[in-house]
Amino acid sequence: MRRPTRTAVATGRRGRLAALVTVSGLGLLPAAGCASADDDLTAYQSDYANHRPLAVAGYPSAGSLEAVQKLLWRLADGNTAALAELASSDGTDAEHRATAGHWIDAYRPAAGQEVTADFHDDPTARQTVVLYFHATRQRKQISLRLDGRAGADGWRVLMRESDPAEATAEPTWAPETPGGGRPTGGPAF
């Protein structure tokens, strides 16, 4: 009599990856779909390893935190095209590129150094973030939102600051140091 095969239920990332590899090997999933997810993860891990850690205040969601990390990495790298790709669907490609260029000109020297992101508001669908660039004592307010139909495109950055003065204006409502919270009467989305 043959012994029954024991099956272990794996949990966590490795378990899901093993299940995807098994299912893909059976031809139930296209292997290219897995490669894309793996490529995204590898790119994120590489960016994370090659840049300075971000200090955080407030309550980001996993998606809004990732969007801010990518924004700072693109600023530090001086990559205008990659920064513009993080833009929400609001505005035009020309506005996104102009904003990205202005932000890189203004914040690139400090973006690769100590930065704190102070997340305000409930991160359900929109979030205001104040970036504190400690080396230069600059502050920059950015607005994030879930983009696409029902948020399917993930967290994106509002990039409609074609005027250099607007692109580099410091928020008048934000505290001088991170973690102070939003004062009453501060701007809302």
Side-chain angles (χ1 to χ4, degrees):
M1 183 170 137
R2 211 172 141 193
R3 278 181 81 190
T5 305
R6 294 181 69 167
T7 305
V9 177
T11 59
R13 171 147 171 71
R14 288 186 177 159
R16 286 192 301 273
L17 182 58
L20 282 174
V21 169
T22 302
V23 172
S24 178
L26 295 173
L28 300 176
L29 282 177
C34 295
S36 177
D38 287 345
D39 290 347
D40 289 347
L41 178 60
T42 301
Y44 179 83
Q45 289 172 334
S46 177
D47 271 338
Y48 189 86
N50 291 322
H51 294 90
R52 205 174 158 117
L54 171 66
V56 173
Y59 300 97
S61 70
S64 65
L65 175 59
E66 182 178 343
V68 171
Q69 285 176 312
K70 288 180 177 180
L71 179 136
L72 286 169
W73 297 337
R74 303 308 169 254
L75 280 174
D77 294 342
N79 191 333
T80 304
L83 180 56
E85 287 177 10
L86 301 175
S88 66
S89 58
D90 301 299
T92 65
D93 288 342
E95 285 177 309
H96 301 159
R97 284 190 306 274
T99 301
H102 297 317
W103 288 0
I104 287 171
D105 290 345
Y107 305 110
R108 181 179 185 189
Q113 299 184 41
E114 185 181 356
V115 178
T116 300
D118 196 351
F119 290 79
H120 297 269
D121 308 317
D122 176 20
T124 306
R126 296 176 181 269
Q127 201 155 33
T128 299
V129 180
V130 178
L131 301 174
Y132 291 84
F133 299 94
H134 297 283
T136 58
R137 301 187 51 81
Q138 293 170 290
R139 293 177 301 153
K140 173 65 184 157
Q141 175 186 329
I142 60 170
S143 300
L144 305 171
R145 72 175 178 90
L146 286 171
D147 211 24
R149 176 166 279 177
D153 293 337
W155 286 90
R156 299 290 185 187
V157 182
L158 182 63
M159 297 179 77
R160 297 185 69 186
E161 298 176 350
S162 298
D163 175 22
E166 179 185 13
T168 58
E170 291 204 3
T172 57
W173 61 271
E176 291 295 319
T177 58
R182 181 188 294 251
T184 306
F189 263 89

